[in-house]
Amino acid sequence: MAFFTVRDDTSLHAEPLAISPWSATQVGGYAVCGALARAVEAEMADSGLSPLRFTVDLVKPVRSDGFTTRSSVVRRGPRMSVVDAAVVQDGEVRARATSVFVVPSDEPPGELWQSAEPLPTPPEGADVVGPPLITSGHNGWSRDYRMHQNAGRKSAWQTFPPLVAGEDMTPFQRAVTMSETTSLVCHWGTEGAGFINTDATLALVRLPIGGSVGLRADSQTSSAGLSVGTATMFDRHGVVGHCTVTAIANARRQVDLGGII
């Protein structure tokens, strides 16, 4: 079980797990993000640098019948490197990413303000591959999505299968794939999900530890069909980073997530 299989040595073909809830013939944004993370990571293998930021622009729907990725190093410096990547299908760019990698160092002296808001407690004994577990309002962790089709604050916790069959999913790929779920925890309301995101940005202070990762919705603001959502990414050891998505209304194809159990 994986999101993609490799054919012809290079092209990625979507498995059922990668299919978008918006369309049975398209790849979900989370899987597109993961594919771009894989391309970027290949450029930075053995560099010793840590990922700091990853931004994906979902330019055009990616069909499920196969695509390739390409990547290039924009700058390789002693303290910072920048890498671009793209999903290419039918000779055109369908999604693109820009990433920044840096050298870790010691913390500077002094004290800074930090939020004291507690993180959600991850579900115990639930680190098994599957759809995200959700908690909302006073409702505990579950995959009974009927419980969570409400206006309560949402968090998600997920354990992923391999991104590509035959390969181990790396912590970076896991974090990037999860970052797109920011749209789910921020844009799922009483009538389902009515916004579709156009991009996703992940800012990391460290890579997630373990096979599971979580997201807690922090804010959602919308006007005239335009929305911005932000979330905190966490694991069982604390905060991993923060995510932001921008989205546009897609009321004609609103997804009733309460019908998914």
Side-chain angles (χ1 to χ4, degrees):
M1 181 170 57
F3 288 109
F4 298 105
T5 54
V6 177
R7 302 180 193 175
D8 305 321
D9 295 328
T10 57
S11 63
L12 296 178
H13 291 255
E15 295 296 310
L17 288 174
I19 300 302
S20 169
W22 299 96
S23 171
T25 62
Q26 295 175 9
V27 179
Y30 54 91
V32 172
C33 289
L36 288 165
R38 176 176 176 263
V40 164
E41 201 167 33
E43 293 283 359
M44 298 304 297
D46 303 320
S47 69
L49 276 64
S50 296
L52 181 64
R53 179 184 59 78
F54 188 92
T55 298
V56 172
D57 294 318
L58 300 168
V59 179
K60 192 173 182 179
V62 179
R63 297 193 316 277
S64 58
D65 54 355
F67 62 86
T68 59
T69 59
R70 67 187 186 204
S71 57
S72 61
V73 178
V74 177
R75 178 184 187 270
R76 194 183 297 276
R79 296 196 64 192
M80 183 181 76
S81 292
V82 178
V83 183
D84 286 352
V87 164
V88 180
Q89 195 170 54
D90 295 335
E92 63 179 353
V93 172
R94 298 293 180 108
R96 63 185 184 183
T98 298
S99 58
V100 176
F101 285 71
V102 297
V103 176
S105 63
D106 295 331
E107 289 280 287
E111 297 182 2
L112 296 172
W113 175 88
Q114 291 184 337
S115 172
E117 185 178 17
L119 290 167
T121 300
E124 293 298 329
D127 293 348
V128 294
V129 172
L133 286 154
I134 303 294
T135 180
S136 63
H138 298 294
N139 297 319
W141 295 104
S142 80
R143 291 191 178 99
D144 184 350
Y145 290 175
R146 295 170 299 184
M147 293 174 54
H148 305 300
Q149 188 136 299
N150 54 48
R153 185 181 190 179
K154 293 178 175 63
S155 295
W157 181 262
Q158 190 164 10
T159 305
F160 291 103
L163 182 68
V164 174
E167 300 179 7
D168 292 331
M169 192 179 208
T170 68
F172 180 58
Q173 293 169 11
R174 187 175 301 117
V176 170
T177 303
M178 189 64 173
S179 69
E180 203 265 352
T181 302
T182 300
S183 192
L184 175 69
V185 297
C186 291
H187 294 133
W188 181 5
T190 59
E191 300 296 324
F195 284 94
I196 186 166
N197 57 311
T198 61
D199 66 9
T201 294
L202 168 64
L204 286 168
V205 295
R206 64 175 176 85
L207 290 170
I209 299 170
S212 304
V213 65
L215 278 177
R216 179 195 64 196
D218 288 336
S219 69
Q220 185 275 327
T221 304
S222 59
S223 177
L226 309 179
S227 177
V228 176
T230 64
T232 295
M233 182 174 288
F234 63 97
D235 59 17
R236 294 192 182 278
H237 301 271
V239 174
V240 171
H242 297 278
C243 308
T244 301
V245 297
T246 60
I248 56 176
N250 199 24
R252 289 189 303 109
R253 298 171 65 190
Q254 184 133 335
V255 176
D256 179 8
L257 292 167
I260 302 174
I261 302 175

